[in-house]
């Protein structure tokens, strides 16, 4: 790992550490600590998500024109202002505006960091680089949440202001580290991915004509909808209402998810690097289908409460195993599909798909998980199996090297971004 990559990973981890201080407590902070009520808290959370949906469509083009570094620094600055403003907010309007700034800044940071990782890696090392980012981000989130939980006191608003201040400082630390990074960049892109003159070039219309990327975005939406979009909404509501899970047990389940990612990430990485990406994603769909069946047993089975609790915690752990398999698979594939000069737009488009899924997931899963227990489980078992089907179909549109980068014999450093897709992946 070169110096640039080490600094990128360190900054990414520290920003995740800062986010971990506040994310678990945002609803409680707005609704109870600032005494604005549950409706205001819902609007604040919606503003956080909607701001991301507004800025992401234009982020990719700016990254490709100006480079990811200034975009990352600017986004980190905006997020820092949003965080400290939210920590001081004492009215519904200021909370909403602050959350919008924070949401916009953190959303833009995602594709900017991903593009920096692409520019600083080769096709051979990209898989491991994204796996390392995912590992460090989860570790940072977990540690931040753990420390933040020891600091917060609902009777003292100043304790929450301290959390948001720490988050704000971590964003500034990310910006400072980013400014020390020297990104390799050249006008001509050299990469191990196959070139294709007929591949789509330039603009969102070209991306939408790229069938492999469109299929990957559809697959990404289903992945985020069926897993991440359910963690803190539908699945937790289902656990409480159907399985009799306590709030403390929900915390243990989330800890089991993080622990699985931290423990399994690099063991899984060795497995993933030797196999086709499409097959790895397909396997995740099967693992998650089994995880949802375990959740079904926890809620509508007839076992003891101890068995239901064990099954519910195992569900979260299996989701973590799937996440560990996806982190070195999906993000590098987005980069390897992107034509030269469009890596920022491809990363931003995929980040937009993720945000849409995270917005729709709780809205659909929350009410179902709380009241429609059997339909909820059946629905998400089918969605998980859909991941497997979509992954197999996507594999047919990928070149051998895109599907399994280890097949490349002579990887060359990608200094400006990944190469274009092969004829099988594009429909110009």
């Amino acid at each position: 790992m070169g110096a640039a990559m080490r600094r990128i990973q360190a900054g990414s981890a520290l920003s995740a550490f800062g986010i971990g201080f506040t994310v678990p407590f945002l609803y409680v902070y707005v609704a109870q600590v600032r005494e604005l009520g549950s409706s205001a808290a819902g609007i604040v959370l919606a503003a956080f998500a909607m701001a991301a949906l507004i800025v992401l469509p234009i982020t990719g083009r700016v990254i490709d024109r100006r480079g990811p570094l200034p975009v990352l620094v600017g986004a980190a600055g905006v997020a820092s202002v949003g965080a400290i403003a939210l920590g001081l907010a004492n009215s519904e309007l200021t909370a909403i505006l602050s959350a919008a700034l924070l949401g916009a800044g953190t959303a833009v940071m995602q594709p900017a960091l991903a593009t920096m990782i692409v520019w600083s890696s080769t096709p051979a090392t990209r898989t491991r680089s994204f796996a390392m980012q995912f590992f460090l981000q989860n570790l940072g989130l977990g540690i931040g949440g753990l420390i933040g939980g020891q600091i917060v006191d609902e009777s003292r608003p100043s304790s929450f202001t301290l959390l948001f201040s720490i988050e704000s400082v971590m964003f500034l630390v990310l910006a400072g580290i980013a400014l020390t990074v020297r990104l390799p960049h050249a006008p001509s892109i050299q990469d191990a991915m196959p070139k294709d003159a007929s591949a789509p070039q330039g603009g969102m219309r070209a991306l939408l004509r790229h069938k492999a990327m469109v299929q990957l975005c559809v697959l990404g939406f289903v992945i985020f909808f069926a897993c991440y979009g359910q963690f803190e909404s539908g699945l937790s509501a289902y656990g409480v209402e159907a399985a009799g899970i306590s709030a403390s047990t929900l915390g243990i389940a989330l800890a089991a998810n993080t622990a699985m990612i931290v423990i399994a990430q690099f063991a899984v990485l060795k497995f993933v690097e030797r196999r086709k990406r499409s097959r790895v994603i397909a396997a995740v769909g099967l693992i998650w289908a089994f995880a949802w069946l375990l959740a079904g047993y926890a809620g509508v089975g007839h076992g003891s409460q101890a068995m239901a609790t064990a099954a519910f915690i195992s569900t979260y752990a299996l989701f973590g195993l799937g996440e560990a398999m996806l982190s070195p698979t999906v993000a590098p594939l987005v980069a390897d599909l992107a034509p030269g000069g469009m890596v920022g737009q491809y990363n931003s488009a995929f980040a937009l798909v993720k945000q849409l899924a995270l917005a729709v997931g709780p809205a659909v899963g929350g009410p179902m998980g709380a009241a429609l227990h059997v339909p909820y489980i059946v629905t998400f078992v089918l969605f998980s199996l859909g991941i497997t089907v979509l992954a197999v179909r996507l594999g047919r549109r990928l070149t051998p090297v895109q599907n399994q980068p280890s097949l490349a014999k002579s990887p060359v450093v990608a200094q400006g971004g990944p190469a274009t897709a092969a004829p099988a992946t594009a429909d110009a």
Side-chain angles (χ1 to χ4, degrees):
M1 185 185 297
M5 184 64 74
R6 287 196 298 271
R7 293 178 184 182
I8 294 168
Q9 299 285 23
S12 177
L14 288 171
S15 67
F17 173 71
I19 292 171
F21 271 88
T22 63
V23 167
F25 316 110
L26 186 56
Y27 180 89
V28 173
Y29 170 70
V30 176
Q32 299 178 11
V33 176
R34 292 301 181 184
E35 298 180 345
L36 298 177
S38 58
S39 297
I43 295 173
V44 167
L45 291 173
F48 186 92
M50 288 303 299
L53 297 179
I54 291 171
V55 299
L56 281 172
I58 63 174
T59 297
R61 188 174 290 275
V62 177
I63 290 174
D64 289 330
R65 288 182 176 180
R66 303 295 182 184
L69 183 55
V71 173
L72 176 63
V73 172
V78 169
S80 179
V81 172
I84 192 64
L86 191 55
L88 297 172
N90 54 16
S91 70
E92 183 173 344
L93 179 60
T94 55
I96 292 171
L97 294 176
S98 301
L101 284 176
L102 182 57
T106 54
V108 172
M109 282 160 47
Q110 296 177 43
L113 279 168
T115 304
M116 290 177 71
I117 290 175
V118 172
W119 284 19
S120 302
S121 63
T122 71
T125 63
R126 196 164 294 148
T127 295
R128 191 166 290 269
S129 297
F130 277 103
M132 177 63 77
Q133 184 198 30
F134 185 73
F135 168 81
L136 291 175
Q137 283 185 333
N138 274 275
L139 191 61
L141 284 169
I143 295 174
L146 182 63
I147 297 175
Q150 304 304 310
I151 295 175
V152 293
D153 182 348
E154 294 181 29
S155 65
R156 291 191 303 112
S158 60
S159 67
F160 286 84
T161 302
L162 175 59
L163 295 189
F164 284 104
S165 299
I166 293 172
E167 181 182 31
S168 178
V169 169
M170 288 299 103
F171 289 136
L172 294 179
V173 170
L174 168 62
I177 292 175
L179 289 172
T180 68
V181 175
R182 297 183 61 183
L183 289 174
H185 179 61
S188 61
I189 300 168
Q190 295 180 337
D191 207 304
M193 296 295 144
K195 306 281 184 179
D196 174 33
S198 66
Q201 296 289 332
M204 192 57 63
R205 290 183 180 179
L207 187 152
L208 293 174
R209 293 197 302 269
H210 192 169
K211 289 186 177 180
M213 182 59 187
V214 171
Q215 284 187 313
L216 181 58
C217 285
V218 173
L219 174 60
F221 181 89
V222 176
I223 287 172
F224 291 113
F225 177 77
C227 175
Y228 300 90
Q230 304 307 313
F231 268 7
E232 296 177 4
S233 57
L235 189 54
S236 59
Y238 170 85
V240 172
E241 299 294 339
I245 300 299
S246 65
S248 60
T249 303
L250 283 176
I252 294 173
L254 286 168
N257 174 265
T258 302
M260 176 62 79
I261 292 170
V262 171
I263 293 170
Q265 183 65 83
F266 292 102
V268 165
L269 181 60
K270 294 180 181 179
F271 171 84
V272 168
E273 286 179 322
R274 297 192 298 268
R275 285 162 179 82
K276 293 181 178 180
R277 287 166 166 169
S278 59
R279 292 183 180 177
V280 172
I281 300 171
V284 170
L286 297 177
I287 291 171
W288 284 358
F290 179 67
W292 281 109
L293 290 174
L294 281 178
Y297 170 79
V300 298
H302 301 288
S304 65
Q305 185 60 45
M307 292 294 292
T309 299
F312 191 78
I313 293 173
S314 298
T315 297
Y316 274 80
L318 286 174
F319 276 129
L321 177 60
E323 292 173 74
M325 295 170 67
L326 289 175
S327 63
T329 305
V330 176
L333 181 54
V334 174
D336 290 341
L337 286 176
M342 285 188 66
V343 63
Q345 293 176 68
Y346 272 55
N347 279 325
S348 294
F350 197 77
L352 177 61
V353 167
K354 177 181 178 180
Q355 287 295 329
L356 285 170
L358 294 180
V360 175
V364 174
M368 287 186 69
L372 304 173
H373 302 150
V374 173
Y376 178 67
I377 295 299
V378 171
T379 297
F380 285 97
V381 168
L382 292 177
F383 266 98
S384 298
L385 295 176
I387 292 172
T388 300
V389 173
L390 290 171
V392 171
R393 291 186 61 188
L394 175 63
R396 297 170 185 163
R397 288 197 174 274
L398 302 177
T399 66
V401 173
Q402 287 170 341
N403 207 4
Q404 189 174 348
S406 61
L407 296 178
K409 295 181 180 180
S410 302
V412 182
V413 174
Q415 294 184 323
T420 59
T425 68
D427 180 31

